[in-house]
Amino acid sequence: MDLMNIMLEVTGSWSHFGGAVGAGLAAIGAGIGIGQIGKGATEAIARQPEAANDIRGGMILTAAFVEGVALFAVIAGLLAVLK
Amino acid sequence: MDLMNIMLEVTGSWSHFGGAVGAGLAAIGAGIGIGQIGKGATEAIARQPEAANDIRGGMILTAAFVEGVALFAVIAGLLAVLK
Amino acid sequence: MDLMNIMLEVTGSWSHFGGAVGAGLAAIGAGIGIGQIGKGATEAIARQPEAANDIRGGMILTAAFVEGVALFAVIAGLLAVLK
Amino acid sequence: MDLMNIMLEVTGSWSHFGGAVGAGLAAIGAGIGIGQIGKGATEAIARQPEAANDIRGGMILTAAFVEGVALFAVIAGLLAVLK
Amino acid sequence: MDLMNIMLEVTGSWSHFGGAVGAGLAAIGAGIGIGQIGKGATEAIARQPEAANDIRGGMILTAAFVEGVALFAVIAGLLAVLK
């Protein structure tokens, strides 16, 4: 192995670094978002059990919005790691 | 592979780093925004179930605003990763 | 490809880095802003359903203000990535 | 293209970096500001629906102040990116 | 061990660093999210024990959303560590 391959490795290293950190940040985003939604939904069902279907609909819809963006961002991080 | 290609790779590496981190930040943004909206909407439906349609309308509209910006930003991050 | 083109590429790399991070920051901004607006609006409609039209008007107007700035900033980030 | 032009380009790269990040920070500012205004306004209309016009006036005026500064800052970022 | 092997080690080191930090960030995300969901669910069941099934359904669903993103991000971190 010569110097050039080594410099190439250094390169990939930064991609991995950023990819893993970016995926972690995306997981924090999912946590902040879906956490609030889940907390609100469980408390809302407790307060008004007969509205559980409406509440569940809003919960799944907004959680899916957050999930979509977060999974996209994790995939961006995975691509950076696998490159 | 010669030195020049390697320097070129180093270049791409920084793009990947920033792209993945940027996508992660966008996911945090979606989480902060849609999380609050979802929490507010579920609790609001619990308080006033007969206004569920009006509440759902406001919820979807504002969540879509956040989703639009966040998806754009994730795409910007993906472009930086894939370059 | 000679050394000069390569140095030019290194240049672009920093642009991508900043562009993706900047777009992510803009998405955080949209999340903070529209999240609060959406939460306030859903809870306000629950409290005073007969004022839903006035509340929706204020919600859309302020959300559009935030959206405008955030989309501009994401476009600035995209331009930096695509350059 | 000679070495000097390249060094000039490297320079421009840092401009793009800062421009995109600055535009993102401006969007965070708009989000924090207009988000609070919108949340306050929607809740205020719910509490006192007959004062909706006065509340809307204050809301638009303060949101426009925040918007003005944030758009200026985004334009400054865009100029740095486009240079 | 000669200089080249050492440089190689330095390289891998940055990947490991980022991978471990990213996995840690993902765990923070899962903690923020599932923590809020669990807290909300336990309090909600305490308030309205007869709605425990609906509450449990919402709790498991949202916790699974957070878990999915966080596990993906931890895997991205593991890949960066194992490379």
Side-chain angles (χ1 to χ4, degrees), chain B residues 7-52:
Chain B
M7 286 180 70
L8 207 71
E9 282 287 321
V10 173
T11 289
S13 170
W14 279 106
S15 287
H16 301 167
F17 183 94
V21 170
L25 292 176
I28 290 182
I32 294 172
I34 302 178
Q36 288 190 65
I37 296 166
K39 193 190 171 201
T42 49
E43 288 175 351
I45 292 174
R47 199 188 226 175
Q48 203 74 258
E50 65 270 28

Side-chain angles (χ1 to χ4, degrees), chain A residues 4-5 7-8 11 14-15 17-19 21-22 25-26 28-30 32-33 36-37 39-41 43-44 47-48 51 54-55 58-59 61-62 65-66 69-70 72-73 76-77 79-80 83, chain B residues 1-3 6 9-10 13-14 16-17 20-21 23-28 30-32 34-36 38-39 42-43 45-47 49 52 56 59-60 63-64 67 70-71 74 78 81-83:
Chain A
M4 289 182 183
N5 278 323
M7 286 179 71
L8 207 71
T11 289
W14 279 107
S15 286
F17 184 94
V21 169
L25 292 176
I28 290 182
I32 294 173
Q36 288 190 67
I37 295 167
K39 192 191 170 200
E43 288 175 351
R47 200 187 225 175
Q48 202 75 259
D54 275 342
I55 292 166
M59 178 193 84
L61 198 69
T62 46
F65 276 145
V66 179
V69 174
F72 253 88
L79 283 177
K83 262 205 179 171
Chain B
M1 189 175 285
D2 58 358
L3 187 62
I6 288 163
E9 282 287 321
V10 173
S13 170
W14 279 106
H16 301 167
F17 183 94
V21 170
L25 292 176
I28 290 182
I32 294 172
I34 302 178
Q36 288 190 65
K39 193 190 171 201
T42 49
E43 288 175 351
I45 292 174
R47 199 188 226 175
R56 200 164 23 233
M59 179 193 84
I60 292 175
E67 185 84 0
L71 270 185
V74 170
L78 268 175
V81 169
L82 295 175
K83 263 204 177 173

Side-chain angles (χ1 to χ4, degrees), chain D residues 6-74:
Chain D
I6 287 162
M7 286 179 71
L8 210 69
E9 281 288 319
V10 173
T11 290
S13 169
W14 280 105
S15 287
H16 301 167
F17 180 93
V21 170
L25 292 176
I28 290 183
I32 294 172
I34 302 178
Q36 290 190 63
I37 296 167
K39 193 191 172 200
T42 49
E43 288 174 352
I45 292 174
R47 201 186 226 174
Q48 204 74 259
E50 64 269 28
N53 279 328
D54 277 343
I55 293 166
R56 197 160 31 228
M59 179 193 83
I60 291 175
L61 199 67
T62 45
F65 277 145
V66 179
E67 184 84 0
V69 173
L71 268 186
F72 255 90
V74 169

Side-chain angles (χ1 to χ4, degrees), chain C residues 26-75:
Chain C
I28 290 182
I32 294 172
I34 302 178
Q36 288 190 65
I37 296 167
K39 193 191 172 201
T42 49
E43 288 175 351
I45 292 174
R47 200 187 225 174
Q48 202 75 258
E50 64 270 28
N53 280 327
D54 275 343
I55 292 165
R56 199 162 27 229
M59 178 194 83
I60 292 175
L61 199 69
T62 45
F65 276 145
V66 180
E67 185 84 0
V69 173
L71 269 186
F72 254 88
V74 170
I75 286 167

